[in-house]
Amino acid sequence: MQKYQNLKDFDLKGRSVFLRLDFNVPLNTSGKITDDTRILAALPTIEHVLEQTNRVCLASHLGRPKGRRKEEFSLKPVAIRLAELLGREVLLVDDVDKEPIDQVLKQVGHNQILLLENLRFYEGESSNDAFFSENLLKGIDFYINDAFGTIHREHASIVGVPKRLPSDRRGLGFLVEKELKVLSELQRGEAPFTVILGGAKVSDKVGVVLNLLNYCNHLIIGGAMAYSFLKYKGVSVGHSFVEDDKMDLVKFIFKNAEKRNVTITLPVDHVCSESFTEDSDAKVVNIENIPDSYQGMDIGPKTIKLFSNMIEKSKTIFWNGPMGVFEWQAYSKGTMAIAEKVAAGDSFSVVGGGDSVAAVKKLGVEKEFSHISTGGGASLKYLEGSILPGLKVLEV
Ligand code: AMP
């Protein structure tokens, strides 16, 4: 079992702290934050540090500006919201690659805090550049990572910076600590343990499926992923999205599930469309087989009932990925129904992944889940047993 130091292990009085956070918030076309959940979630860690020192450097990425300065990805809106929430002036540091941060840190007043501009404006962030990392580290005594969503990335602010500090001066923030606690609890989850997977690709989730087969009792598969499994079983799937080149993986998953006595449940009916467009006519195909001219876009009503019955009987649930093309109203019913059903039960329930979390939020049932993972990709990597570079570097 790996061991990490946590925020409470450190005496930060008068010291300088680099806080890697996840301020990757959604913005509308006029640059307004449409959901500040991630900023609110970071507050306990920020406030804990601020109780001991004001020499704090907050750092995050936002979107994918790909190493170039793009105004629409500026952290300015985050600085404004943070200033309101913290009741202090937030100084946004531009030119992070050139600015001598140690000098700026020395001048931070009592009612101020530093926020570095979007780290992904600089190529050195994603390439984990040594020079960029050293620049970020100037004048820093302690490093805290509280950005679970990016902890699987080998970037400068995730790996390059902490790697250059002594091991007793780097650790986890409150959010990451909680994520790890929940995900390890999940692996010891009470039976029946049901894993619900959806989304686009089998290939993206094969690692996690194979590892979860060691812990779970039932695997429910919906979304586009389901059509590769159905096709493998000989079911007609029309022109549904299928990964024909991944049939060996599907076979491997079926074999492993059988070996471990894990049941795999697939859709038994579908909401289909003739074309992959939002305004196409949605047609319920109330059998397993889909006619040639159609493609599966969402799970059908019989499948919702089938999956719901299994959810009702489960004591532990992990859900990642939508049951259909959730972005389009006509094909969002399956995903919303699953969100509603899991929320209504009293299982230990963990949800991760942008679309499934969005469904939960849209229904306003976040509080009914035991945990909403802040990092869909990172939680899958963790559950598949992969090494997460941002965690590895913090091991003591
Ligand atoms: P992922 O990021 O792997 O969780 O995949 C999410 C994407 O899968 C969403 O954009 C959905 O629109 C898409 N998706 C879900 N079900 C289907 C389907 N039946 N056909 C095509 N795309 C789907």
Side-chain angles (χ1 to χ4, degrees):
M1 186 74 186
Q2 299 87 349
K3 174 94 179 72
Y4 309 99
Q5 293 178 101
N6 299 324
L7 204 43
K8 289 207 168 136
D9 295 329
F10 302 124
D11 179 4
L12 303 173
K13 265 180 222 93
R15 311 304 294 270
S16 53
V17 183
F18 186 97
L19 259 184
R20 179 48 162 108
L21 302 165
D22 182 2
F23 290 146
N24 187 24
V25 292
L27 301 171
N28 65 16
T29 43
S30 43
K32 287 241 152 49
I33 298 171
T34 54
D35 181 353
D36 64 357
T37 309
R38 286 186 164 153
I39 303 178
L40 296 173
L43 290 181
T45 287
I46 302 174
E47 279 165 352
H48 177 87
V49 175
L50 282 176
E51 276 165 22
Q52 300 177 65
T53 178
N54 63 326
R55 289 169 60 211
V56 189
C57 209
L58 308 180
S60 174
H61 72 284
L62 176 70
R64 295 185 176 201
K66 301 201 171 140
R68 294 189 27 224
R69 197 186 172 91
K70 291 188 184 156
E71 257 335 286
E72 68 267 35
F73 294 115
S74 168
L75 282 173
K76 269 180 208 141
V78 173
I80 293 168
R81 184 71 185 119
L82 262 178
E84 288 165 7
L85 291 164
L86 294 171
R88 46 173 84 209
E89 192 182 356
V90 177
L91 306 172
L92 189 65
V93 183
D94 251 321
D95 295 328
V96 169
D97 52 345
K98 293 188 202 90
E99 190 86 46
I101 293 166
D102 47 344
Q103 299 305 316
V104 189
L105 266 172
K106 274 187 202 152
Q107 290 161 27
V108 177
H110 272 300
N111 225 11
Q112 296 178 323
I113 190 168
L114 294 186
L115 169 65
L116 305 185
E117 185 49 290
N118 189 348
L119 294 176
R120 290 198 190 157
F121 280 179
Y122 313 96
E123 271 179 354
E125 167 65 358
S126 301
S127 63
N128 191 16
D129 179 70
F131 183 76
F132 185 69
S133 303
E134 275 156 20
N135 201 54
L136 291 178
L137 191 65
K138 267 188 205 146
I140 295 291
D141 299 320
F142 284 86
Y143 170 92
I144 299 294
N145 191 327
D146 211 17
F148 188 70
T150 47
I151 214 150
H152 56 310
R153 310 246 179 240
E154 195 147 353
H155 290 177
S157 66
I158 309 288
V159 174
V161 173
K163 174 173 106 174
R164 289 173 166 78
L165 276 174
S167 63
D168 59 349
R169 291 214 240 135
R170 51 193 190 201
L172 309 176
F174 295 140
L175 275 179
V176 172
E177 195 186 344
K178 170 142 191 257
E179 287 281 353
L180 296 185
K181 186 167 171 274
V182 169
L183 293 176
S184 66
E185 267 171 40
L186 190 69
Q187 288 166 323
R188 302 185 300 271
E190 199 183 334
F193 177 177
T194 302
V195 171
I196 310 166
L197 287 182
K201 289 188 180 166
V202 180
S203 41
D204 284 352
K205 296 187 183 165
V206 64
V208 75
V209 175
L210 289 173
N211 210 27
L212 284 171
L213 290 177
N214 294 315
Y215 312 104
C216 73
N217 309 100
H218 306 294
L219 179 60
I220 288 177
I221 300 179
M225 268 178 82
Y227 299 105
S228 296
F229 283 78
L230 287 169
K231 184 165 181 188
Y232 175 80
K233 280 181 58 185
V235 174
S236 313
V237 296
H239 59 271
S240 300
F241 180 84
V242 165
E243 286 172 277
D244 279 310
D245 57 336
K246 295 292 172 327
M247 286 301 156
D248 50 338
L249 289 181
V250 172
K251 183 177 174 186
F252 194 61
I253 291 170
F254 270 121
K255 272 201 154 167
N256 272 274
E258 199 183 326
K259 252 197 247 162
R260 292 175 169 78
N261 284 325
V262 176
T263 67
I264 295 186
T265 308
L266 299 170
V268 290
D269 64 345
H270 319 268
V271 181
C272 294
S273 159
E274 280 188 297
S275 63
F276 193 77
T277 48
E278 185 167 8
D279 54 3
S280 58
D281 282 337
K283 174 186 162 74
V284 174
V285 171
N286 63 6
I287 52 167
E288 212 181 19
N289 288 291
I290 297 175
D292 286 349
S293 55
Y294 284 94
Q295 69 181 106
M297 302 283 276
D298 193 10
I299 54 174
K302 282 202 276 186
T303 307
I304 291 179
K305 259 199 198 137
L306 175 70
F307 289 0
S308 296
N309 282 337
M310 296 183 66
I311 290 168
E312 223 166 77
K313 292 185 192 120
S314 301
K315 290 261 193 301
T316 307
I317 293 175
F318 174 68
W319 174 29
N320 180 297
M323 296 291 103
V325 187
F326 156 82
E327 300 88 334
W328 296 338
Q329 177 78 21
Y331 309 109
S332 64
K333 270 201 199 108
T335 306
M336 301 310 271
I338 296 303
E340 218 164 321
K341 198 68 202 175
V342 179
D346 55 5
S347 60
F348 178 70
S349 53
V350 179
V351 59
D355 297 316
S356 2
V357 172
V360 170
K361 283 188 175 168
K362 203 165 168 186
L363 286 170
V365 291
E366 295 102 302
K367 292 212 163 63
E368 311 305 322
F369 281 75
S370 311
H371 182 66
I372 301 208
S373 180
T374 49
S379 59
L380 289 184
K381 288 264 171 234
Y382 181 87
L383 290 172
E384 76 181 32
S386 291
I387 289 173
L388 304 181
L391 275 183
K392 179 88 190 138
V393 74
L394 299 181
E395 279 175 17
V396 285

mmCIF file of all heavy atoms in Angstrom, residues 195-237:
data_model
loop_
_atom_site.group_PDB
_atom_site.id
_atom_site.type_symbol
_atom_site.label_atom_id
_atom_site.label_comp_id
_atom_site.label_asym_id
_atom_site.label_seq_id
_atom_site.Cartn_x
_atom_site.Cartn_y
_atom_site.Cartn_z
ATOM 1 N N VAL A 195 -20.903 -2.827 -11.707
ATOM 2 C CA VAL A 195 -20.188 -1.793 -12.464
ATOM 3 C C VAL A 195 -21.030 -1.464 -13.693
ATOM 4 O O VAL A 195 -21.441 -2.369 -14.433
ATOM 5 C CB VAL A 195 -18.787 -2.305 -12.887
ATOM 6 C CG1 VAL A 195 -18.129 -1.318 -13.853
ATOM 7 C CG2 VAL A 195 -17.906 -2.520 -11.657
ATOM 8 N N ILE A 196 -21.331 -0.188 -13.877
ATOM 9 C CA ILE A 196 -22.113 0.237 -15.045
ATOM 10 C C ILE A 196 -21.186 1.039 -15.946
ATOM 11 O O ILE A 196 -20.664 2.076 -15.536
ATOM 12 C CB ILE A 196 -23.309 1.132 -14.635
ATOM 13 C CG1 ILE A 196 -24.110 0.478 -13.508
ATOM 14 C CG2 ILE A 196 -24.180 1.457 -15.842
ATOM 15 C CD1 ILE A 196 -25.093 1.426 -12.826
ATOM 16 N N LEU A 197 -20.968 0.540 -17.144
ATOM 17 C CA LEU A 197 -20.085 1.259 -18.067
ATOM 18 C C LEU A 197 -20.836 1.631 -19.329
ATOM 19 O O LEU A 197 -21.646 0.859 -19.847
ATOM 20 C CB LEU A 197 -18.875 0.404 -18.439
ATOM 21 C CG LEU A 197 -17.805 0.205 -17.369
ATOM 22 C CD1 LEU A 197 -16.668 -0.621 -17.932
ATOM 23 C CD2 LEU A 197 -17.270 1.520 -16.833
ATOM 24 N N GLY A 198 -20.558 2.830 -19.811
ATOM 25 C CA GLY A 198 -21.143 3.273 -21.075
ATOM 26 C C GLY A 198 -20.131 4.126 -21.790
ATOM 27 O O GLY A 198 -18.939 4.070 -21.483
ATOM 28 N N GLY A 199 -20.593 4.928 -22.729
ATOM 29 C CA GLY A 199 -19.667 5.791 -23.455
ATOM 30 C C GLY A 199 -19.301 5.217 -24.791
ATOM 31 O O GLY A 199 -19.909 4.246 -25.259
ATOM 32 N N ALA A 200 -18.282 5.819 -25.381
ATOM 33 C CA ALA A 200 -18.016 5.553 -26.780
ATOM 34 C C ALA A 200 -17.265 4.257 -27.068
ATOM 35 O O ALA A 200 -17.695 3.457 -27.885
ATOM 36 C CB ALA A 200 -17.281 6.745 -27.384
ATOM 37 N N LYS A 201 -16.151 4.065 -26.399
ATOM 38 C CA LYS A 201 -15.239 3.027 -26.897
ATOM 39 C C LYS A 201 -14.890 1.931 -25.903
ATOM 40 O O LYS A 201 -14.545 2.215 -24.757
ATOM 41 C CB LYS A 201 -13.928 3.687 -27.337
ATOM 42 C CG LYS A 201 -14.068 4.505 -28.590
ATOM 43 C CD LYS A 201 -12.707 4.938 -29.037
ATOM 44 C CE LYS A 201 -12.798 5.760 -30.303
ATOM 45 N NZ LYS A 201 -11.554 6.451 -30.569
ATOM 46 N N VAL A 202 -14.905 0.701 -26.375
ATOM 47 C CA VAL A 202 -14.447 -0.438 -25.577
ATOM 48 C C VAL A 202 -12.968 -0.245 -25.276
ATOM 49 O O VAL A 202 -12.497 -0.450 -24.156
ATOM 50 C CB VAL A 202 -14.592 -1.758 -26.363
ATOM 51 C CG1 VAL A 202 -14.114 -2.936 -25.539
ATOM 52 C CG2 VAL A 202 -16.016 -1.972 -26.832
ATOM 53 N N SER A 203 -12.219 0.186 -26.320
ATOM 54 C CA SER A 203 -10.763 0.267 -26.185
ATOM 55 C C SER A 203 -10.350 1.221 -25.062
ATOM 56 O O SER A 203 -9.338 1.009 -24.412
ATOM 57 C CB SER A 203 -10.130 0.685 -27.501
ATOM 58 O OG SER A 203 -10.891 1.694 -28.112
ATOM 59 N N ASP A 204 -11.154 2.292 -24.821
ATOM 60 C CA ASP A 204 -10.815 3.233 -23.748
ATOM 61 C C ASP A 204 -10.995 2.600 -22.377
ATOM 62 O O ASP A 204 -10.388 3.034 -21.413
ATOM 63 C CB ASP A 204 -11.776 4.445 -23.782
ATOM 64 C CG ASP A 204 -11.440 5.397 -24.905
ATOM 65 O OD1 ASP A 204 -10.394 5.209 -25.538
ATOM 66 O OD2 ASP A 204 -12.252 6.315 -25.153
ATOM 67 N N LYS A 205 -11.880 1.620 -22.285
ATOM 68 C CA LYS A 205 -12.261 1.149 -20.950
ATOM 69 C C LYS A 205 -11.870 -0.295 -20.672
ATOM 70 O O LYS A 205 -12.166 -0.811 -19.612
ATOM 71 C CB LYS A 205 -13.759 1.381 -20.737
ATOM 72 C CG LYS A 205 -14.024 2.891 -20.761
ATOM 73 C CD LYS A 205 -15.392 3.356 -20.422
ATOM 74 C CE LYS A 205 -15.420 4.881 -20.587
ATOM 75 N NZ LYS A 205 -16.719 5.461 -20.629
ATOM 76 N N VAL A 206 -11.170 -0.900 -21.629
ATOM 77 C CA VAL A 206 -10.859 -2.322 -21.459
ATOM 78 C C VAL A 206 -10.008 -2.580 -20.212
ATOM 79 O O VAL A 206 -10.248 -3.536 -19.473
ATOM 80 C CB VAL A 206 -10.217 -2.911 -22.746
ATOM 81 C CG1 VAL A 206 -8.888 -2.271 -23.058
ATOM 82 C CG2 VAL A 206 -10.076 -4.388 -22.646
ATOM 83 N N GLY A 207 -9.044 -1.693 -19.960
ATOM 84 C CA GLY A 207 -8.156 -1.867 -18.799
ATOM 85 C C GLY A 207 -8.952 -1.884 -17.511
ATOM 86 O O GLY A 207 -8.789 -2.769 -16.665
ATOM 87 N N VAL A 208 -9.854 -0.919 -17.388
ATOM 88 C CA VAL A 208 -10.623 -0.821 -16.153
ATOM 89 C C VAL A 208 -11.605 -1.987 -16.032
ATOM 90 O O VAL A 208 -11.795 -2.547 -14.953
ATOM 91 C CB VAL A 208 -11.316 0.557 -16.035
ATOM 92 C CG1 VAL A 208 -12.496 0.707 -16.909
ATOM 93 C CG2 VAL A 208 -11.712 0.839 -14.603
ATOM 94 N N VAL A 209 -12.192 -2.407 -17.156
ATOM 95 C CA VAL A 209 -13.124 -3.544 -17.105
ATOM 96 C C VAL A 209 -12.385 -4.763 -16.571
ATOM 97 O O VAL A 209 -12.842 -5.418 -15.626
ATOM 98 C CB VAL A 209 -13.700 -3.870 -18.503
ATOM 99 C CG1 VAL A 209 -14.550 -5.122 -18.451
ATOM 100 C CG2 VAL A 209 -14.520 -2.716 -19.049
ATOM 101 N N LEU A 210 -11.238 -5.038 -17.155
ATOM 102 C CA LEU A 210 -10.516 -6.257 -16.763
ATOM 103 C C LEU A 210 -10.139 -6.228 -15.284
ATOM 104 O O LEU A 210 -10.239 -7.236 -14.591
ATOM 105 C CB LEU A 210 -9.279 -6.440 -17.632
ATOM 106 C CG LEU A 210 -9.597 -6.838 -19.072
ATOM 107 C CD1 LEU A 210 -8.348 -6.835 -19.932
ATOM 108 C CD2 LEU A 210 -10.274 -8.215 -19.142
ATOM 109 N N ASN A 211 -9.721 -5.070 -14.803
ATOM 110 C CA ASN A 211 -9.341 -4.999 -13.396
ATOM 111 C C ASN A 211 -10.560 -5.081 -12.472
ATOM 112 O O ASN A 211 -10.527 -5.745 -11.442
ATOM 113 C CB ASN A 211 -8.523 -3.736 -13.127
ATOM 114 C CG ASN A 211 -7.548 -3.955 -11.984
ATOM 115 O OD1 ASN A 211 -7.118 -5.085 -11.736
ATOM 116 N ND2 ASN A 211 -7.223 -2.907 -11.272
ATOM 117 N N LEU A 212 -11.646 -4.425 -12.878
ATOM 118 C CA LEU A 212 -12.852 -4.437 -12.022
ATOM 119 C C LEU A 212 -13.489 -5.822 -11.954
ATOM 120 O O LEU A 212 -14.194 -6.123 -10.993
ATOM 121 C CB LEU A 212 -13.861 -3.396 -12.504
ATOM 122 C CG LEU A 212 -13.511 -1.944 -12.134
ATOM 123 C CD1 LEU A 212 -14.432 -0.959 -12.832
ATOM 124 C CD2 LEU A 212 -13.584 -1.728 -10.617
ATOM 125 N N LEU A 213 -13.221 -6.647 -12.940
ATOM 126 C CA LEU A 213 -13.764 -8.014 -12.894
ATOM 127 C C LEU A 213 -13.249 -8.770 -11.666
ATOM 128 O O LEU A 213 -13.847 -9.743 -11.217
ATOM 129 C CB LEU A 213 -13.385 -8.790 -14.163
ATOM 130 C CG LEU A 213 -14.076 -8.351 -15.466
ATOM 131 C CD1 LEU A 213 -13.539 -9.167 -16.644
ATOM 132 C CD2 LEU A 213 -15.589 -8.497 -15.380
ATOM 133 N N ASN A 214 -12.114 -8.284 -11.112
ATOM 134 C CA ASN A 214 -11.573 -8.911 -9.896
ATOM 135 C C ASN A 214 -12.395 -8.577 -8.662
ATOM 136 O O ASN A 214 -12.264 -9.216 -7.630
ATOM 137 C CB ASN A 214 -10.135 -8.440 -9.640
ATOM 138 C CG ASN A 214 -9.206 -8.930 -10.717
ATOM 139 O OD1 ASN A 214 -9.270 -10.096 -11.111
ATOM 140 N ND2 ASN A 214 -8.364 -8.040 -11.232
ATOM 141 N N TYR A 215 -13.175 -7.504 -8.724
ATOM 142 C CA TYR A 215 -13.896 -7.053 -7.525
ATOM 143 C C TYR A 215 -15.408 -7.171 -7.645
ATOM 144 O O TYR A 215 -16.097 -7.313 -6.657
ATOM 145 C CB TYR A 215 -13.601 -5.571 -7.226
ATOM 146 C CG TYR A 215 -12.159 -5.208 -7.264
ATOM 147 C CD1 TYR A 215 -11.626 -4.516 -8.348
ATOM 148 C CD2 TYR A 215 -11.317 -5.562 -6.220
ATOM 149 C CE1 TYR A 215 -10.285 -4.180 -8.380
ATOM 150 C CE2 TYR A 215 -9.984 -5.232 -6.244
ATOM 151 C CZ TYR A 215 -9.461 -4.533 -7.330
ATOM 152 O OH TYR A 215 -8.145 -4.218 -7.358
ATOM 153 N N CYS A 216 -15.932 -6.998 -8.881
ATOM 154 C CA CYS A 216 -17.386 -6.840 -8.980
ATOM 155 C C CYS A 216 -18.094 -8.179 -9.233
ATOM 156 O O CYS A 216 -17.456 -9.203 -9.512
ATOM 157 C CB CYS A 216 -17.737 -5.824 -10.062
ATOM 158 S SG CYS A 216 -17.487 -6.414 -11.731
ATOM 159 N N ASN A 217 -19.422 -8.144 -9.124
ATOM 160 C CA ASN A 217 -20.241 -9.334 -9.394
ATOM 161 C C ASN A 217 -20.995 -9.209 -10.704
ATOM 162 O O ASN A 217 -21.281 -10.205 -11.353
ATOM 163 C CB ASN A 217 -21.256 -9.543 -8.265
ATOM 164 C CG ASN A 217 -20.596 -9.513 -6.904
ATOM 165 O OD1 ASN A 217 -20.641 -8.520 -6.202
ATOM 166 N ND2 ASN A 217 -19.940 -10.598 -6.545
ATOM 167 N N HIS A 218 -21.345 -7.966 -11.035
ATOM 168 C CA HIS A 218 -22.127 -7.743 -12.263
ATOM 169 C C HIS A 218 -21.530 -6.598 -13.069
ATOM 170 O O HIS A 218 -21.114 -5.590 -12.485
ATOM 171 C CB HIS A 218 -23.574 -7.383 -11.915
ATOM 172 C CG HIS A 218 -24.234 -8.378 -11.029
ATOM 173 N ND1 HIS A 218 -24.497 -9.663 -11.435
ATOM 174 C CD2 HIS A 218 -24.659 -8.276 -9.745
ATOM 175 C CE1 HIS A 218 -25.080 -10.315 -10.432
ATOM 176 N NE2 HIS A 218 -25.181 -9.499 -9.404
ATOM 177 N N LEU A 219 -21.533 -6.773 -14.371
ATOM 178 C CA LEU A 219 -21.091 -5.706 -15.268
ATOM 179 C C LEU A 219 -22.252 -5.392 -16.199
ATOM 180 O O LEU A 219 -22.766 -6.275 -16.884
ATOM 181 C CB LEU A 219 -19.872 -6.220 -16.059
ATOM 182 C CG LEU A 219 -19.245 -5.293 -17.079
ATOM 183 C CD1 LEU A 219 -18.748 -4.015 -16.430
ATOM 184 C CD2 LEU A 219 -18.052 -6.007 -17.743
ATOM 185 N N ILE A 220 -22.670 -4.115 -16.165
ATOM 186 C CA ILE A 220 -23.739 -3.665 -17.059
ATOM 187 C C ILE A 220 -23.073 -2.812 -18.129
ATOM 188 O O ILE A 220 -22.286 -1.919 -17.807
ATOM 189 C CB ILE A 220 -24.764 -2.805 -16.273
ATOM 190 C CG1 ILE A 220 -25.602 -3.679 -15.336
ATOM 191 C CG2 ILE A 220 -25.646 -2.008 -17.218
ATOM 192 C CD1 ILE A 220 -26.595 -2.888 -14.474
ATOM 193 N N ILE A 221 -23.374 -3.076 -19.377
ATOM 194 C CA ILE A 221 -22.750 -2.269 -20.441
ATOM 195 C C ILE A 221 -23.823 -1.619 -21.308
ATOM 196 O O ILE A 221 -24.715 -2.283 -21.843
ATOM 197 C CB ILE A 221 -21.802 -3.131 -21.307
ATOM 198 C CG1 ILE A 221 -20.697 -3.715 -20.407
ATOM 199 C CG2 ILE A 221 -21.175 -2.282 -22.421
ATOM 200 C CD1 ILE A 221 -19.720 -4.601 -21.124
ATOM 201 N N GLY A 222 -23.726 -0.305 -21.426
ATOM 202 C CA GLY A 222 -24.628 0.461 -22.286
ATOM 203 C C GLY A 222 -23.798 1.361 -23.189
ATOM 204 O O GLY A 222 -22.591 1.165 -23.335
ATOM 205 N N GLY A 223 -24.430 2.367 -23.791
ATOM 206 C CA GLY A 223 -23.700 3.287 -24.667
ATOM 207 C C GLY A 223 -23.252 2.599 -25.945
ATOM 208 O O GLY A 223 -23.625 1.457 -26.238
ATOM 209 N N ALA A 224 -22.406 3.297 -26.702
ATOM 210 C CA ALA A 224 -21.928 2.736 -27.962
ATOM 211 C C ALA A 224 -21.142 1.446 -27.731
ATOM 212 O O ALA A 224 -21.186 0.512 -28.537
ATOM 213 C CB ALA A 224 -21.058 3.766 -28.681
ATOM 214 N N MET A 225 -20.470 1.395 -26.576
ATOM 215 C CA MET A 225 -19.666 0.213 -26.224
ATOM 216 C C MET A 225 -20.438 -1.093 -26.354
ATOM 217 O O MET A 225 -19.904 -2.133 -26.730
ATOM 218 C CB MET A 225 -19.305 0.306 -24.740
ATOM 219 C CG MET A 225 -18.025 0.972 -24.432
ATOM 220 S SD MET A 225 -17.867 1.008 -22.633
ATOM 221 C CE MET A 225 -17.264 -0.624 -22.320
ATOM 222 N N ALA A 226 -21.728 -1.012 -25.984
ATOM 223 C CA ALA A 226 -22.559 -2.217 -25.919
ATOM 224 C C ALA A 226 -22.668 -2.899 -27.289
ATOM 225 O O ALA A 226 -22.810 -4.124 -27.368
ATOM 226 C CB ALA A 226 -23.951 -1.864 -25.416
ATOM 227 N N TYR A 227 -22.601 -2.102 -28.378
ATOM 228 C CA TYR A 227 -22.834 -2.694 -29.708
ATOM 229 C C TYR A 227 -21.705 -3.617 -30.152
ATOM 230 O O TYR A 227 -21.942 -4.579 -30.880
ATOM 231 C CB TYR A 227 -23.160 -1.588 -30.724
ATOM 232 C CG TYR A 227 -24.416 -0.888 -30.277
ATOM 233 C CD1 TYR A 227 -24.371 0.369 -29.694
ATOM 234 C CD2 TYR A 227 -25.638 -1.557 -30.319
ATOM 235 C CE1 TYR A 227 -25.520 0.955 -29.184
ATOM 236 C CE2 TYR A 227 -26.790 -0.973 -29.808
ATOM 237 C CZ TYR A 227 -26.721 0.280 -29.246
ATOM 238 O OH TYR A 227 -27.852 0.847 -28.723
ATOM 239 N N SER A 228 -20.486 -3.350 -29.676
ATOM 240 C CA SER A 228 -19.387 -4.277 -29.989
ATOM 241 C C SER A 228 -19.630 -5.605 -29.274
ATOM 242 O O SER A 228 -19.397 -6.683 -29.834
ATOM 243 C CB SER A 228 -18.043 -3.682 -29.563
ATOM 244 O OG SER A 228 -17.786 -2.514 -30.307
ATOM 245 N N PHE A 229 -20.127 -5.528 -28.042
ATOM 246 C CA PHE A 229 -20.410 -6.754 -27.276
ATOM 247 C C PHE A 229 -21.569 -7.522 -27.911
ATOM 248 O O PHE A 229 -21.525 -8.753 -28.023
ATOM 249 C CB PHE A 229 -20.734 -6.408 -25.812
ATOM 250 C CG PHE A 229 -19.511 -6.081 -25.002
ATOM 251 C CD1 PHE A 229 -18.904 -4.837 -25.109
ATOM 252 C CD2 PHE A 229 -18.947 -7.020 -24.144
ATOM 253 C CE1 PHE A 229 -17.755 -4.527 -24.378
ATOM 254 C CE2 PHE A 229 -17.806 -6.734 -23.404
ATOM 255 C CZ PHE A 229 -17.216 -5.479 -23.522
ATOM 256 N N LEU A 230 -22.622 -6.786 -28.312
ATOM 257 C CA LEU A 230 -23.788 -7.450 -28.928
ATOM 258 C C LEU A 230 -23.386 -8.094 -30.245
ATOM 259 O O LEU A 230 -23.766 -9.226 -30.540
ATOM 260 C CB LEU A 230 -24.920 -6.434 -29.141
ATOM 261 C CG LEU A 230 -25.658 -5.992 -27.867
ATOM 262 C CD1 LEU A 230 -26.575 -4.805 -28.147
ATOM 263 C CD2 LEU A 230 -26.481 -7.153 -27.266
ATOM 264 N N LYS A 231 -22.584 -7.371 -31.034
ATOM 265 C CA LYS A 231 -22.178 -7.914 -32.335
ATOM 266 C C LYS A 231 -21.365 -9.204 -32.134
ATOM 267 O O LYS A 231 -21.552 -10.191 -32.847
ATOM 268 C CB LYS A 231 -21.364 -6.884 -33.120
ATOM 269 C CG LYS A 231 -21.012 -7.385 -34.506
ATOM 270 C CD LYS A 231 -20.534 -6.315 -35.428
ATOM 271 C CE LYS A 231 -20.236 -6.942 -36.787
ATOM 272 N NZ LYS A 231 -19.601 -6.024 -37.689
ATOM 273 N N TYR A 232 -20.493 -9.174 -31.146
ATOM 274 C CA TYR A 232 -19.681 -10.366 -30.862
ATOM 275 C C TYR A 232 -20.581 -11.573 -30.561
ATOM 276 O O TYR A 232 -20.301 -12.701 -30.941
ATOM 277 C CB TYR A 232 -18.739 -10.094 -29.683
ATOM 278 C CG TYR A 232 -17.976 -11.324 -29.265
ATOM 279 C CD1 TYR A 232 -16.846 -11.730 -29.963
ATOM 280 C CD2 TYR A 232 -18.414 -12.104 -28.188
ATOM 281 C CE1 TYR A 232 -16.160 -12.887 -29.611
ATOM 282 C CE2 TYR A 232 -17.738 -13.258 -27.823
ATOM 283 C CZ TYR A 232 -16.613 -13.643 -28.539
ATOM 284 O OH TYR A 232 -15.950 -14.785 -28.195
ATOM 285 N N LYS A 233 -21.714 -11.284 -29.873
ATOM 286 C CA LYS A 233 -22.647 -12.369 -29.521
ATOM 287 C C LYS A 233 -23.500 -12.812 -30.707
ATOM 288 O O LYS A 233 -24.335 -13.712 -30.597
ATOM 289 C CB LYS A 233 -23.585 -11.892 -28.405
ATOM 290 C CG LYS A 233 -22.933 -11.959 -27.024
ATOM 291 C CD LYS A 233 -23.892 -11.511 -25.935
ATOM 292 C CE LYS A 233 -25.157 -12.344 -25.910
ATOM 293 N NZ LYS A 233 -26.148 -11.859 -24.949
ATOM 294 N N GLY A 234 -23.353 -12.137 -31.831
ATOM 295 C CA GLY A 234 -24.107 -12.520 -33.027
ATOM 296 C C GLY A 234 -25.411 -11.763 -33.196
ATOM 297 O O GLY A 234 -26.238 -12.116 -34.045
ATOM 298 N N VAL A 235 -25.625 -10.732 -32.394
ATOM 299 C CA VAL A 235 -26.844 -9.923 -32.510
ATOM 300 C C VAL A 235 -26.664 -8.935 -33.675
ATOM 301 O O VAL A 235 -25.564 -8.416 -33.890
ATOM 302 C CB VAL A 235 -27.084 -9.151 -31.177
ATOM 303 C CG1 VAL A 235 -28.247 -8.189 -31.291
ATOM 304 C CG2 VAL A 235 -27.264 -10.110 -30.011
ATOM 305 N N SER A 236 -27.743 -8.659 -34.432
ATOM 306 C CA SER A 236 -27.652 -7.649 -35.503
ATOM 307 C C SER A 236 -27.677 -6.268 -34.874
ATOM 308 O O SER A 236 -28.575 -5.970 -34.073
ATOM 309 C CB SER A 236 -28.843 -7.740 -36.456
ATOM 310 O OG SER A 236 -29.063 -9.066 -36.815
ATOM 311 N N VAL A 237 -26.718 -5.445 -35.251
ATOM 312 C CA VAL A 237 -26.646 -4.116 -34.624
ATOM 313 C C VAL A 237 -26.832 -2.993 -35.644
ATOM 314 O O VAL A 237 -26.561 -1.826 -35.347
ATOM 315 C CB VAL A 237 -25.322 -3.923 -33.835
ATOM 316 C CG1 VAL A 237 -25.242 -4.884 -32.667
ATOM 317 C CG2 VAL A 237 -24.107 -4.057 -34.737
#
